[in-house]
Amino acid sequence: MENIYLDYQSAKPVDPRVVEEMMPYFTDKFGNPASLHNIGDEATDTLETARSMIKDFINASEDSKIIFTSNATESNNLALIGTAMRYKNKGNHIIISEIEHISIRNIVKYLEREGFQVSKVPVDQYGIVRLEKLQNLINDETILISISTASNEIGSIQPFEEISAIARDKGVLFHTDAVASESVLPIDVNQVPIDLITFSSNDIYGPKGVAALYLRKGLRINPILIGGGQEFGMRSGSHNLHGIVGFAKAAEIMKREMESETKRLSNYRDILIKKILETIPKSYLNGHPTKRLAHNAHFRFDYIEGESLILDLKEQNIAAATGSACTSKTLEPSHTLISCGLLHEEAHGSLLLTLGRFTQEEEIEQLIKILPQVVHRLRRLSPLTPRELLKQYREVKN
Ligand code: PMP
């Protein structure tokens, strides 16, 4: 049987149209934008065209900045550490949400060791930030709010318009990590002012090893990589030009195709959620029922462990996840699910399915057929499963 890939949040294939666009930049068009000769000039033109294409993706003005980095972790480091160091004379307080990605959580731990104060805004049972708590946490020392557009794990979409309005009202900078949502949720900085945004290339079907940080017009932050002064002095190091070309092409395609892709994926997602909740007793949806990413379905099942589920699905050539790939090898329950109020044992029975550009309807159908059988099998083996459930459990026939 062919592999069924339902783990698009952890890695995406590069779109073949992107690969084609990148190819000449490995061989013929190999120049360095820092060089003064013709080949360098051509590379500079390519770099600036790519920069404009990324700005176009979020409707950013020409006088804003896109800083190319090597991955989303680096963009997040640059956003938080660069802002903290630049504005430390203004204040030393930073706010994040309780369910931020591990990269943000660990960066603020570092900043705490450097003397910054960090507050975490709680979320409701669906993982949505409590806006009134956010308002109350802001004080005279607050310089930055960093809250992702959406959860990469449970798929809940944050009210980032309201967060942006609160930040503006209080004169605090607002950074958002848009990695989880950038393939399914448009961002228009003309409509919703955001000061700093983290993007990654692979999350829109571009190559790995390249990402960006958007900076609102006029905003300066301190560099974290010091060297030759590339990227307006904010990120030194020679450019990964073929990667940047691929990233820009991926953004151009995504901008054009996002609307139809989102419709298709949310349709699959809704079928998946409905069928799984219908056919598997004691199954639940994690995250918000409607304010959720079009490609995200995150479940939990009583009495079984997510890891066993993943391994059983692996036997059937189905690739799925329990939660965030960046923390999948720890035994700790997901901090996101715990913040939503789940007990440790509930958080352990999770399954994250993420769909993408190359997902086919037959793959969804296969999953809907196989998953109830796998859950049933594991429940029969689990000492936690109540006998009544096993008795009344109706085996799903092929
Ligand atoms: N932010 C979010 C929301 C993510 O899901 C990830 C992981 N893909 C990252 C940041 C870090 O990305 P990377 O590992 O590519 O640096």
Side-chain angles (χ1 to χ4, degrees), residues 9-10 71-74 76 101 103 148 150 152 177 179-180 198 200 203 324 326:
Q9 190 72 68
S10 78
N71 55 37
T73 302
E74 188 193 330
N76 283 342
H101 184 263
S103 59
S148 303
N152 63 314
D177 175 340
V179 167
T198 292
S200 129
D203 279 83
S324 172
C326 301

Side-chain angles (χ1 to χ4, degrees), residues 14 19 31 39 45 83 124 148-149 163-164 175 180 189 199 219 245 248 282-283 287 289 312-313 315 329 366-367 375:
V14 181
V19 176
I39 298 173
D45 288 347
T83 303
D124 65 15
S148 303
T149 47
I163 299 172
S164 153
H175 165 249
V189 289
F199 289 105
L219 182 64
V245 165
K282 301 275 180 195
S283 61
D312 250 46
L313 289 171
E315 293 277 297
K329 298 212 165 141
Q366 271 294 337
L367 193 272
V375 172

Side-chain angles (χ1 to χ4, degrees), residues 3 5 18 177 245 265 273 286 312 314 326 366 376 391:
N3 268 316
Y5 187 72
V18 169
D177 175 340
V245 165
L265 294 180
I273 293 175
N286 291 324
D312 250 46
K314 184 176 175 181
C326 301
Q366 271 294 337
H376 185 35
K391 264 197 254 157

Side-chain angles (χ1 to χ4, degrees), residues 224-281:
I224 52 170
L225 275 186
I226 320 281
Q230 288 91 339
E231 297 299 276
F232 321 100
M234 285 187 263
R235 200 281 186 178
S236 287
S238 296
H239 292 96
N240 166 7
L241 199 61
H242 48 268
I244 290 171
V245 165
F247 184 9
K249 181 70 185 174
E252 180 204 281
I253 296 171
M254 186 47 87
K255 183 156 183 152
R256 222 179 25 244
E257 299 184 358
M258 188 188 278
E259 201 179 328
S260 58
E261 201 159 314
T262 303
K263 260 196 206 131
R264 190 178 76 94
L265 294 180
S266 55
N267 185 30
Y268 289 170
R269 174 203 63 189
D270 292 344
I271 294 172
L272 192 57
I273 293 175
K274 184 168 179 287
K275 290 282 179 195
I276 296 303
L277 297 183
E278 251 171 36
T279 51
I280 305 183

Side-chain angles (χ1 to χ4, degrees), residues 122-138:
V123 294
D124 65 15
Q125 59 173 315
Y126 301 120
I128 307 276
V129 161
R130 293 178 182 272
L131 292 174
E132 75 290 356
K133 301 269 184 200
L134 173 63
Q135 290 266 20
N136 293 341
L137 283 172
I138 299 173

